[in-house]
Amino acid sequence: MTTAMEVRRLFNVTQETRFHFNHWYSRRKHVVAHVMAHESVAVHRITADEVEAACRSAPRPGPTDVPEIRDWRPDFAFTHVAHHVVEALGRLPGWPEFREFCEADEQARGMLWTPAREVIAEVGPEGRAALRNRVVSDFLGFLRDVYVLAVLRGHGLDVRVHPLADTVFKVDAWVERLILNPRGGGQRSADLLVHAMPPFFFTDLGVTEFTQVGPALLPSRGQLDRAARRLRDVLHPE
């Protein structure tokens, strides 16, 4: 289990992170209360096969070219919603179940379903398809990140994720004091954590190849397997 307090103790250790956390903590109290109570358990049990099955269940997203939908920023980020759904169900759902749960579950409805209906009412009929496409794209992005997590954990690496780490400290995933970016590119948390003592270390998984699974582009399993072996050598040298 990974709790918000564990995340806070680990990452809220620099002037930059304390400023960032305090600013976030003072604003939307309903978001703060939810995130600080969140416990990551089920997400760490997800397997790569389960992610692939969820990918195959999802529709192919279309364009989100309605400005009001493209720029829509509800109080709860999609990662909050996705993590809540996984923990509430105790497993990773496919797209149909995810959609149904977000309509039926009181918490998820308030996080995503109701705000979505409100913005559609403001935009009009053209917003409905664009919003659906955006949510599908966000769902596939979450699956891509969880796939990386599942493969690395399958190699015995204690990789952790938590929505507080993601949205406040800009840490996508971590193992011990090694910060990982499953999406590739620059590390979002580098500027926040650069002055931490003892230091954090940042690594690039080196993913340059992808595999199409349903509508999702997942990082190459072979490259992730090699990255996992490199990480094990770094963290647990013989």
Side-chain angles (χ1 to χ4, degrees), residues 35-100:
V35 174
M36 294 305 294
H38 183 85
E39 297 175 344
S40 293
V41 181
V43 70
H44 294 139
R45 296 197 302 259
I46 295 171
T47 67
D49 288 344
E50 290 168 344
V51 178
E52 291 181 2
C55 289
R56 294 188 182 96
S57 76
R60 189 174 301 277
T64 57
D65 50 3
V66 178
E68 294 87 347
I69 301 301
R70 187 177 58 246
D71 301 331
W72 180 53
R73 297 292 182 271
D75 287 354
F76 286 94
F78 186 83
T79 189
H80 297 145
V81 180
H83 277 276
H84 167 70
V85 173
V86 167
E87 298 303 331
L89 290 173
R91 54 184 167 75
L92 179 68
W95 168 255
E97 186 179 15
F98 174 84
R99 184 184 181 281
E100 292 168 3

